Amino acid sequence: MKKNNSLFVLIIILCIIGIITNIFLMSSNIFNKDFRIQTEKITINDKNYSIQITQIYSSDEILNNGIDTIINNIKNSFLEEVKNDKGKLVIDYEYSKYKDIYSFHIRGIANIKDILKRKDYIIYYDEKAKKVLKQEDLIKKDYGLYTIFNSNCVDYLNDIDYDESLLEIEDKNYSLLIFSNDNIHIIIINNNEEISIPINYSYIKEYLNKKYFKVRDKIIKDTNKDVEVTPEREETIQENVDKTEELNLPKYLAFTFDDGPALDITTTLLDGLKERNAKATFFVLGNRAVNQGDIIKRMIEEGHVVGSHTYSHKNLLRLSLEEALGEINNTNDIIANITGNKPKYLRPPYGNYNKEILNNSNMTFILWSVDTEDWKKRNADLIYEYIINNVNDGDIVLLHDLYPTSVDGVLKAIDYLKGQNYRFVNIDELFNKKGAIAEVNKTYRYVK
Ligand code: ZN
């Protein structure tokens, strides 16, 4: 009897604990409304086909419905196509986050009789507002944006075999956009393979909805503070500028051209520079230089400096140190094979590098103090105006010999600036004229 009693008490206690726990869980469900995602693997097997789905469930029903619709679309079009054939469908997903915005990329890859077909969808969700967003809520898509996308993609894919129609300026080509921490990523599906092309938000700032995106005006392109301008230094620069003006001494500019050589455009530029007795610096890509030895030789013969822009324009920060140095050293060898000398100067693509790359490069890194954004403007007059309004003695100006508009704009600027007592020198001469020495493993944005 005593034993039964204590068992009874124990059961009562357990019940009370159970009830309390339940109340606690319920209340935490009510009060803890954080957004959550869960996934579950689902497999459907039929005698002919199989479907594997990584299903996402979130704490938001509207988002779940949106995801379900996408998954059903993929599933139904597979079922329509597979009919009595053998086939397999895999649906999975990936997501990125920018602040409160999730980009869920859902993809279905179907294999029917060894032919692959894929479908990609992106659904956006604002965690804070608990709302599914449309792409147009986030970014204004128009021709201007697409030209920026296009030139960045062309640049990014230049060593990859791809179907050029994928980059044509059309809505359908730029519909898969993912918003991550620092970059928007354009997803291109080339031959069923996914390529993700990052573009810094600052390049497309004016197209982003300010409600969601806070983009700083200027990207901080490197972490190396070697040439940081302190207030005192700024003052001495200003003093020097004043003195130069006063004595009517010549002022020096180093125009630099990246991403080439680009056949006709570079040739036209070289002709124009020669006519004006202006010298410049060309940061060439190894994979372009390798087939364009003649034009590289011409650059040297006509007094320009040939620097390296790495082999294939990869973002060095996304590579291992070994790979990054490979991109650099390989290009040095290619240039040395053409000119007899390894280049001294390197311009890292996008201005991206770290201390490790710099310290192991044995090169002098040249960034820029004036960014014409010629790749974005594609308008000779705008480029001309920007140059003449923004240059000062000792500046290094960033341009690309990829666009005829850049060539026209810079030549026009040279004609004008000549009358303002400017001289146009290559980077070696800029250091010489300023009595400065280009040190190895150091970065320069200007020489003043
Ligand atoms: Zn470049």
Side-chain angles (χ1 to χ4, degrees), residues 354-401:
N354 56 30
K355 272 228 154 85
E356 243 190 332
I357 297 169
L358 181 68
N359 292 337
N360 287 288
S361 67
N362 283 319
M363 297 185 80
T364 301
F365 282 29
I366 303 292
L367 298 182
W368 55 87
S369 48
V370 176
D371 184 354
T372 61
E373 296 195 313
D374 58 332
W375 57 272
K376 188 161 139 188
K377 293 191 175 99
R378 308 278 188 100
N379 176 316
D381 287 333
L382 290 181
I383 294 165
Y384 158 77
E385 270 163 38
Y386 190 85
I387 295 173
I388 65 163
N389 290 322
N390 288 281
V391 293
N392 279 305
D393 185 31
D395 273 332
I396 298 172
V397 184
L398 170 63
L399 288 144
H400 299 81
D401 54 332

Side-chain angles (χ1 to χ4, degrees), residues 146-181:
Y146 294 153
T147 55
I148 298 173
F149 281 175
N150 174 276
S151 66
N152 277 274
C153 292
V154 170
D155 224 14
Y156 189 90
L157 296 175
N158 77 39
D159 61 335
I160 298 171
D161 241 354
Y162 68 94
D163 174 0
E164 282 179 21
S165 70
L166 290 174
L167 300 188
E168 274 165 22
I169 295 180
E170 279 177 55
D171 273 313
K172 67 167 169 46
N173 286 339
Y174 300 106
S175 63
L176 296 174
L177 304 178
I178 300 223
F179 299 93
S180 77
N181 239 340

